Amino acid sequence: MSLHHVELAISASWIIPIIPKGRILEDSALIINEGKIVDIVLQSELQQRYQANSFIELKNQALIPGLINAHGHAAMSLLRGYADDLPLMTWLEEHIWPAESRWVNESFVRDGTELAIAEMLLSGTSCFSDMYFFPETAAEVAHESGIRAQIAFPVLDFPTPWGQGPDDYIHKGLALHDHYRSHDRINIAFGPHAPYTVSDDVLRQISTLAEELQAPIQIHLHETAEEVERAVSESGQRPSKRLAELGLLSPLAQCVHMTQVDESDLRVLKSSGAHVVHCPDSNLKLASGLCPVKDLLREGINVALGTDGAASNNDLSMLNEIKQAALLAKFQTMDASSLNAHDSLYMATMAGAKALGIDKQCGSLEVGKAADICAIDLSELTAQPVYNPASQIIYSQNQVSHLWVNGQHLVNQGKLSRINQESLIKRASAWRDKIRHA
């Protein structure tokens, strides 16, 4: 029997494909060719069926889909720890916005985005969503790094370092969308900042354009009780209802945070088909509130996970975010069976892919999908003994050993393949010194 020639075969003690949910394959191998998964076989069958140009054997390691960070502000990694221990609006209005006004430029975004991507790759993230100024620069850095990305260009009613107002932002954003229209790893989305920073006419325009282009929309929504209370006081409407009436909520919409959710919000989200992006660490640190994940899931609403920016989280590890989400769900419901290991891992993979509209490309280890693969080392002392690798990944501290995106080896034995880590640390330190001593 002739052997099939392929580019890469990766065998591991465990493979958690995500689809079907709850399945764990033991002593199996992924077969990869031209950047896609072409087969999943038992290790005992591998040499009988395939001849691979490269073969990687990962004993006592688990393969999972690359993690999907569905919301963040990558360049804000340069403001990590800059204004800690403050409530959201004080943090934003008195510290972050003034710092951004003074320091944010293309160079800041390039260095900050590269720093964030390096951290995300090393912690198992193969795809991230970004909403920040100078999205052209962020997209370029993502392209160069090899990571998969959704770049949401910001839209606000007022000037920022990137533009003069809504018309300017949308004009630049549409040009960016055209530039990356056929890119295999980078998608462009609309990023209206929040209901309290974008007016009705602009939101209607975004809704129309997004529907025409079938482009995603990501927006901060119901982030704090104060936001919702102020909206009701001023307009008589909860922000979710206002956005629904403006046509902004649809299966293209990604609603970030949603810490304040009542029954009317659940009905709006369910009927619209909009997605929710849960950012547990950031919401806890800013004391913004808790997203009612179990209520959302009960209604069939898709819930993805995001880290938010490093300025309001301090780390961009999706493994940390998954654990936090699982523990919070248990605490909120006072039910230890809430959001089990497989469900929380699903949120960080397949649910993220669905929210970003790329679930046909990635989010699970299935034949025909992109080879976005994360290998987690379960051989360390802190992982012993391994009864259930899924639980071990979620609840223990583990090391990401390898990461592939589109079959490209971006993390090899815990080391970045394309990014110069020493240079990056020096540049980040230079920004700290400049900002601190200003």
Side-chain angles (χ1 to χ4, degrees):
M1 186 170 111
S2 61
L3 298 176
H4 295 283
H5 290 262
V6 293
E7 293 171 357
L8 175 63
I10 312 167
S11 73
S13 296
W14 304 279
I15 298 176
I16 306 176
I18 302 300
I19 302 294
K21 190 185 289 187
R23 177 171 293 181
I24 299 175
L25 308 175
E26 295 190 6
D27 299 322
S28 297
L30 294 177
I31 311 303
I32 294 131
N33 202 52
E34 296 182 349
K36 294 187 180 298
I37 299 169
V38 297
D39 205 354
I40 305 174
V41 300
L42 291 170
Q43 291 176 14
S44 58
E45 301 174 0
L46 180 58
Q47 293 184 346
Q48 301 169 18
R49 297 175 57 182
Y50 291 98
Q51 181 175 332
N53 295 340
S54 179
F55 171 66
I56 297 176
E57 185 176 13
L58 301 175
K59 291 183 178 180
N60 298 313
Q61 298 199 38
L63 298 180
I64 62 173
L67 301 173
I68 297 176
N69 185 348
H71 176 69
H73 312 285
M76 292 183 80
S77 60
L78 291 178
L79 296 174
R80 189 197 317 266
Y82 174 74
D84 282 345
D85 306 321
L86 297 169
L88 175 64
M89 295 316 294
T90 302
W91 177 78
L92 277 175
E93 293 174 352
E94 298 180 20
H95 298 273
I96 296 301
W97 285 346
E100 288 178 329
S101 178
R102 179 166 187 182
W103 297 110
V104 171
N105 55 30
E106 289 187 52
S107 178
F108 181 98
V109 170
R110 172 169 289 280
D111 289 343
T113 302
E114 188 173 9
L115 179 63
I117 288 173
E119 180 182 355
M120 288 189 283
L121 291 173
L122 287 170
S123 53
T125 292
S126 61
C127 175
F128 76 106
S129 178
D130 188 49
M131 182 199 290
Y132 207 61
F133 310 114
F134 300 98
E136 308 96 331
T137 303
E140 186 179 336
V141 176
H143 166 74
E144 293 168 355
S145 74
I147 200 170
R148 194 179 300 280
Q150 171 185 276
I151 306 296
F153 60 87
V155 181
L156 306 98
D157 280 346
F158 47 84
T160 68
W162 185 55
Q164 296 305 307
D167 290 342
D168 193 20
Y169 300 132
I170 291 171
H171 175 74
K172 290 177 178 178
L174 291 176
L176 187 64
H177 178 274
D178 288 344
H179 183 74
Y180 284 95
R181 186 186 299 272
S182 59
H183 201 285
D184 63 342
R185 287 185 288 105
I186 297 174
N187 295 327
I188 306 301
F190 290 84
H193 173 260
Y196 56 87
T197 54
V198 188
S199 59
D200 284 4
D201 288 344
V202 177
L203 290 173
R204 285 195 195 93
Q205 184 182 4
I206 290 171
S207 174
T208 300
L209 290 169
E211 184 65 31
E212 289 175 359
L213 297 172
Q214 284 299 288
I217 303 169
Q218 185 165 108
I219 185 168
H220 300 93
L221 185 61
H222 289 216
E223 187 169 359
T224 66
E226 181 186 358
E227 171 200 338
V228 178
E229 290 165 2
R230 184 184 298 176
V232 172
S233 173
E234 292 176 354
S235 69
Q237 282 187 316
R238 294 175 70 82
S240 65
K241 184 178 180 183
R242 173 188 162 213
L243 294 191
E245 291 183 353
L246 293 171
L248 201 80
L249 296 189
S250 76
L252 295 171
Q254 305 156 11
C255 306
V256 181
H257 297 301
M258 293 303 298
T259 70
Q260 315 296 316
V261 178
D262 67 9
E263 289 299 321
S264 69
D265 300 319
L266 286 174
R267 290 193 294 271
V268 166
L269 291 169
K270 184 176 182 177
S271 63
S272 68
H275 310 269
V276 169
V277 182
H278 177 30
C279 303
D281 271 359
S282 178
N283 290 339
L284 283 169
K285 184 168 181 254
L286 293 170
S288 299
L290 301 177
C291 178
V293 171
K294 287 298 290 184
D295 292 342
L296 294 165
L297 294 177
R298 184 192 66 235
E299 296 300 319
I301 297 162
N302 184 52
V303 183
L305 285 177
T307 60
D308 211 347
S312 63
N313 184 329
N314 294 65
D315 77 71
L316 301 179
S317 170
M318 282 295 291
L319 289 173
N320 290 347
E321 217 68 36
I322 298 169
K323 179 178 180 179
Q324 194 73 272
L327 297 181
L328 273 176
K330 298 174 191 302
F331 178 77
Q332 284 176 281
T333 59
M334 296 308 293
D335 178 2
S337 65
S338 285
L339 206 63
N340 63 36
H342 285 284
D343 288 339
S344 51
L345 192 54
Y346 180 94
M347 288 173 65
T349 53
M350 197 63 191
K354 286 183 176 180
L356 272 53
I358 54 174
D359 49 303
K360 287 183 171 55
Q361 292 175 264
C362 59
S364 60
L365 301 179
E366 296 182 84
V367 172
K369 286 196 172 182
D372 292 7
I373 305 161
C374 173
I376 297 181
D377 190 350
L378 298 179
S379 68
E380 296 296 323
L381 177 72
T382 52
Q384 303 312 308
V386 181
Y387 293 106
N388 182 332
S391 292
Q392 209 73 4
I393 289 168
I394 301 307
Y395 299 118
S396 300
Q397 294 197 3
N398 303 291
Q399 177 67 42
V400 171
S401 60
H402 298 267
L403 184 75
W404 293 264
V405 177
N406 262 4
Q408 298 299 305
H409 208 171
L410 302 185
V411 176
N412 186 352
Q413 297 183 352
K415 303 293 183 183
L416 293 165
S417 301
R418 293 193 182 184
I419 296 174
N420 186 322
Q421 189 167 322
E422 290 184 5
S423 168
L424 198 49
I425 291 171
K426 288 179 181 177
R427 280 179 277 147
S429 296
W431 278 106
R432 176 204 59 203
D433 294 343
K434 185 187 297 186
I435 293 169
R436 185 170 59 183
H437 296 137

